Amino acid sequence: DYRAKVQGVITDSTEALVVGATVTLRNENTGITTTRNTNDSGQYLFDFVEPGSYTVTVTMAGFSKFIQEKIQVQVRGDVTVNASLQPGAVTETVNVTATAVALQFNTSTMELTVDRKMLSDLPIMQRNPFTLSLLDPAVVNRYWDIAHRNPFYMWSSSQIDVGGNTTMKNDISLDGAPLQIGVKGSYAPPMDAVQEFSVQQNSVDAEFGHSGGGIMSVGMKSGTNEIHGTAYYFGRNPKLNARTNSVTNTKNLVRNHIWGFTVGNPVIKNRLFAFTAYEGWRSQEPNTRISTQPTDLERNGDFSRTLGKDGGLRTIYDPWTTQLDPVTGKVTRTPFAGNVIPQARFDPTAKRIMQDIWAPNGPGDDITGINNYKIVYSWPQKYWNFSERVDWNIRDNWKAFFRYSRVKTTLDQTDYVNSPAMPNDNGGAMHNRNIAGDTVYTLNPTTVLNVRMSFGSLEDDYVAPRSMIGKEGLAQFWPNNPWYESYIGEMPAVYYPNVNVGGSGYGKSGYWIQHPRHWTWDASLRKVVGAHSLKTGFAHRRHKADGIYPNLMAFYPYQHFTAETFQNPDLTRNGSDYATLLLGGLDQNSYARTYPYQYFRSNYFGLFFQDDIKLSRNITVNLGLRYEYESGPYDERDRISRYLDLTSPIPEFQSNPPVMPDAVTQYMK
């Protein structure tokens, strides 16, 4: 849970315990008050306290009033306010404002909390609150690039080590609602909407589970009795720089426009509050394409001017002339006459693909013409993040909140060349949704019931819609030969065939569509009995993950096919990847395959019991027991794995029984 508790012991000036004192906790922002009475041990406890600034007031007949102001309650804080009452009239008041509130660590969990002030003062370029966990020395980033821990990159929140090798095994939450969906994080609120953030290095309390490492908790702001809000804009445009590039003066493609606002307001003062947050991005990042493209002569089979590194002719050999000397074991091939491949030898599919492979735009880095195509292009990103939270103080002993959060992100790239074979390496969508509802009901001053439900979903689609060609598009490469139809199966998108020529990729090498969904139900009951703070509860999580990660086909026409031999060929002076492509030669890594849609499911259950025994004002003993069960992943269509049942016939064999040779039949007898 992201919420906290405020507790303490009330004594008189002689240090005797005060039983039956009235303790009032008031939220300074919302005006909501809660009252408790001290028990036989002089103790009081306020549980499920929202982060914020509070005032504690203690009254007792025959004693002066005690007031402690400006008590800062942090996310998952455990704040102890001990009061000493002085004999006197109730009209007399002891007001404590300058004394720091003591923080009692009533749990052995190690935790770091980042409060609102630090959130405002720390520059977070990525605008992702979970990046704040890196302030903890025990936390290590495992995401591919710290500079790109953007809130819509779903791995950025989950690929973190907390106190050891725990990447993708931690639990992350917002307002107590889980955000971890499988191995990915989901929703991340705008930075200006965050009240506080905490990271637990080791969660040893029994009420926390479903984590192989730490727990990262974000508490979102809520509305107050006063209208408050923020508005902001961050912009970056190299046109405003003194000089974009002092050497070449080339155009800089970096663009950043980030804007947003937050507003919190009362709907009904002291009763109903709303908080709204919105953030939008329009950014553009540069990317580079460096490749070796065929010259006009080479795309027509003429390699008479293709040079090796030593300046000599790069000889092209005919792979269909391969000869093996049985005596010496040496393999040789015959070069093409004039180093020119006859067009009659062109593979028809390769010839069609070559029409879409574009020409170089430069001379290359050396005499071989390597890296003769260089261009800088942009990756545009459009992103918006919306969240609405409503807090309702239904009655003095009953409160609830509801939150709806939504993110939509579209990614794309600019077309740096007019060719359907251009790889689209950034197209797709990253959307997510998180819904949470929570209610706290105080059955009596010593018993509190909490029930929470949440739903989270992801739409992580690396699909590049503009690059889809469909089954009809494949027909242009294999006219009158639709061999690929049986491979397409359930694939939702078909792209230009992926061809890898000398490290230069064409078409689309792969994509994925992932739509996981996550439901959670949690309930806990807290009871204070003397020095014991008892907690018990259960958790249920249901996970569904529909998706597909296909790559229909990939072709690898490697250079060694047109070298002088396949036994350690000299690839610096012989062979060419584009020559191999023209001849239709394919490496053994080439493939055509199909993938089914996957419908993964799993269920999780947890039960816990915890007893925090306060032996004295300085010593607390934590005793807890937790039971967890998580089902193995399964496919609702039963296609992940199947056990071997020798009594069950194989349907494919029943419809078309195999015919065994007599020798095999005789052997089996």
Side-chain angles (χ1 to χ4, degrees):
D1 201 318
Y2 74 102
R3 285 164 299 199
K5 58 184 176 182
V6 178
Q7 58 184 319
V9 177
I10 310 300
T11 61
D12 61 17
S13 57
T14 64
E15 296 298 314
L17 298 174
V18 177
V19 180
T22 300
V23 185
T24 302
L25 181 70
R26 182 180 185 273
N27 188 315
E28 296 178 358
N29 294 321
T30 64
I32 295 175
T33 61
T34 308
T35 301
R36 296 283 188 272
N37 292 323
T38 56
N39 60 16
D40 294 340
S41 302
Q43 298 175 345
Y44 69 92
L45 170 65
F46 296 95
D47 213 343
F48 296 100
V49 177
E50 304 284 343
S53 180
Y54 288 84
T55 297
V56 169
T57 302
V58 183
T59 59
M60 180 73 178
F63 294 90
S64 59
K65 181 188 296 185
F66 174 89
I67 299 178
Q68 172 76 62
E69 298 177 334
K70 302 186 186 309
I71 302 169
Q72 295 299 321
V73 178
Q74 298 179 334
V75 169
R76 282 197 36 78
D78 191 351
V79 181
T80 298
V81 181
N82 295 320
S84 179
L85 300 183
Q86 303 293 327
V90 178
T91 55
E92 299 177 7
T93 301
V94 177
N95 197 322
V96 181
T97 58
T99 304
V101 178
L103 293 179
Q104 303 285 342
F105 294 98
N106 297 310
T107 174
S108 54
T109 295
M110 297 177 62
E111 188 168 1
L112 171 71
T113 299
V114 181
D115 60 21
R116 181 63 233 168
K117 186 178 186 304
M118 292 183 66
L119 283 166
S120 301
D121 295 343
L122 288 173
I124 304 296
M125 181 179 66
Q126 305 87 0
R127 307 287 298 163
N128 185 347
F130 291 103
T131 301
L132 294 167
S133 61
L134 300 178
L135 294 172
D136 191 323
V139 176
V140 178
N141 175 65
R142 295 301 180 192
Y143 189 57
W144 67 277
D145 187 358
I146 293 182
H148 290 86
R149 294 181 54 83
N150 296 338
F152 48 83
Y153 287 158
M154 299 159 187
W155 292 106
S156 63
S157 300
S158 64
Q159 291 188 336
I160 294 176
D161 283 348
V162 181
N165 184 16
T166 64
T167 181
M168 298 183 291
K169 303 180 184 70
N170 305 300
D171 203 20
I172 58 180
S173 67
L174 173 62
D175 298 335
L179 297 176
Q180 183 85 5
I181 300 182
V183 295
K184 290 186 175 183
S186 57
Y187 180 72
M191 290 290 297
D192 281 48
V194 175
Q195 176 68 27
E196 286 181 345
F197 170 82
S198 72
V199 53
Q200 301 177 47
Q201 296 180 30
N202 59 323
S203 304
V204 296
D205 284 0
E207 64 179 309
F208 297 102
H210 201 268
S211 170
I215 295 178
M216 290 171 281
S217 303
V218 171
M220 192 169 167
K221 291 180 181 178
S222 60
T224 65
N225 275 333
E226 302 294 333
I227 298 177
H228 64 279
T230 60
Y232 52 91
Y233 171 79
F234 306 100
R236 182 183 178 189
N237 191 328
K239 290 183 178 179
L240 303 177
N241 296 351
R243 178 176 287 188
T244 301
N245 187 310
S246 60
V247 179
T248 63
N249 287 322
T250 55
K251 183 179 180 181
N252 194 312
L253 299 178
V254 175
R255 300 289 188 276
N256 278 320
H257 300 284
I258 301 175
W259 69 94
F261 69 88
T262 66
V263 58
N265 59 281
V267 179
I268 302 175
K269 283 198 172 185
N270 297 334
R271 187 67 65 181
L272 185 63
F273 310 92
F275 183 82
T276 306
Y278 176 86
E279 183 167 285
W281 287 28
R282 294 295 184 272
S283 63
Q284 184 174 287
E285 296 185 1
N287 204 6
T288 304
R289 166 90 181 196
I290 300 176
S291 60
T292 303
Q293 303 296 121
T295 64
D296 290 340
L297 290 175
E298 290 171 344
R299 68 176 57 251
N300 288 292
D302 188 346
F303 294 83
S304 61
R305 299 184 185 179
T306 302
L307 304 179
K309 287 187 176 180
D310 58 359
L313 182 68
R314 176 177 289 277
T315 308
I316 307 300
Y317 289 81
D318 186 348
W320 277 267
T321 63
T322 303
Q323 296 289 329
L324 171 64
D325 188 329
V327 178
T328 63
K330 186 176 181 180
V331 174
T332 59
R333 291 170 177 159
T334 303
F336 283 100
N339 224 33
V340 177
I341 301 175
Q343 294 206 11
R345 295 286 304 276
F346 286 6
D347 179 85
T349 300
K351 185 177 180 180
R352 174 61 189 85
I353 291 174
M354 191 65 79
Q355 296 176 14
D356 298 325
I357 294 179
W358 53 93
N361 61 1
D365 294 344
D366 55 27
I367 59 175
T368 67
I370 190 173
N371 298 333
N372 58 13
Y373 186 85
K374 299 178 181 179
I375 196 167
V376 178
Y377 60 99
S378 64
W379 279 3
Q381 301 170 345
K382 295 180 180 180
Y383 157 82
W384 61 261
N385 185 334
F386 171 81
S387 197
E388 178 73 25
R389 171 171 170 153
V390 176
D391 290 81
W392 186 15
N393 191 38
I394 305 170
R395 293 201 298 264
D396 290 345
N397 65 336
W398 187 13
K399 61 181 179 180
F401 85 79
F402 173 82
R403 177 180 49 77
Y404 176 84
S405 303
R406 179 67 163 150
V407 163
K408 280 201 169 186
T409 311
T410 56
L411 312 174
D412 211 342
Q413 73 169 53
T414 55
D415 294 339
Y416 55 82
V417 67
N418 184 21
S419 171
M422 181 198 73
N424 190 322
D425 48 13
N426 197 49
M430 295 181 181
H431 307 328
N432 60 59
R433 181 184 286 107
N434 187 264
I435 303 171
D438 178 284
T439 184
V440 176
Y441 187 79
T442 303
L443 300 174
N444 56 57
T446 61
T447 310
V448 181
L449 174 66
N450 176 228
V451 178
R452 180 188 302 114
M453 299 177 63
S454 70
F455 168 77
S457 65
L458 292 179
E459 299 172 45
D460 189 1
D461 299 342
Y462 179 50
V463 291
R466 291 190 296 111
S467 300
M468 297 179 186
I469 66 172
K471 181 176 67 174
E472 299 77 12
L474 292 179
Q476 62 183 308
F477 303 104
W478 297 279
N480 304 318
N481 182 19
W483 62 270
Y484 44 81
E485 288 187 352
S486 60
Y487 287 85
I488 293 176
E490 296 181 338
M491 292 187 184
V494 175
Y495 296 93
Y496 194 99
N498 176 226
V499 183
N500 294 271
V501 189
S504 299
Y506 303 98
K508 193 158 182 66
S509 59
Y511 66 97
W512 61 80
I513 294 177
Q514 297 177 348
H515 293 174
R517 291 152 291 164
H518 202 70
W519 293 264
T520 66
W521 296 267
D522 298 85
S524 64
L525 184 67
R526 316 265 176 123
K527 177 73 174 179
V528 178
V529 181
H532 297 266
S533 178
L534 306 172
K535 298 176 288 186
T536 186
F538 78 91
H540 172 49
R541 301 188 183 190
R542 185 181 180 190
H543 180 72
K544 291 186 175 183
D546 302 343
I548 188 171
Y549 194 170
N551 182 4
L552 177 59
M553 59 184 71
F555 304 128
Y556 295 86
Y558 284 154
Q559 176 183 352
H560 58 259
F561 277 102
T562 49
E564 77 279 13
T565 180
F566 59 77
Q567 297 175 330
N568 300 316
D570 185 358
L571 299 180
T572 64
R573 295 188 294 178
N574 301 298
S576 166
D577 298 282
Y578 285 105
T580 301
L581 172 63
L582 287 172
L583 291 168
L586 297 178
D587 184 83
Q588 62 183 2
N589 294 315
S590 302
Y591 60 81
R593 59 192 178 193
T594 187
Y595 288 81
Y597 239 98
Q598 297 174 343
Y599 302 91
F600 286 104
R601 305 289 184 263
S602 66
N603 288 287
Y604 162 84
F605 302 91
L607 299 171
F608 77 89
F609 175 80
Q610 178 90 15
D611 185 6
D612 298 329
I613 310 171
K614 198 169 186 63
L615 300 180
S616 69
R617 297 176 64 176
N618 301 317
I619 300 177
T620 300
V621 176
N622 308 114
L623 299 175
L625 178 66
R626 185 176 183 87
Y627 171 80
E628 292 186 350
Y629 169 78
E630 187 166 5
S631 68
Y634 63 93
D635 189 295
E636 66 177 16
R637 299 187 181 182
D638 196 22
R639 297 181 304 176
I640 296 180
S641 61
R642 295 181 62 182
Y643 59 89
L644 179 61
D645 184 359
L646 296 178
T647 65
S648 176
I650 300 174
E652 291 80 3
F653 280 15
Q654 292 297 306
S655 59
N656 187 19
V659 178
M660 294 185 179
D662 291 340
V664 175
T665 305
Q666 194 65 30
Y667 173 78
M668 293 178 66
K669 291 180 179 180

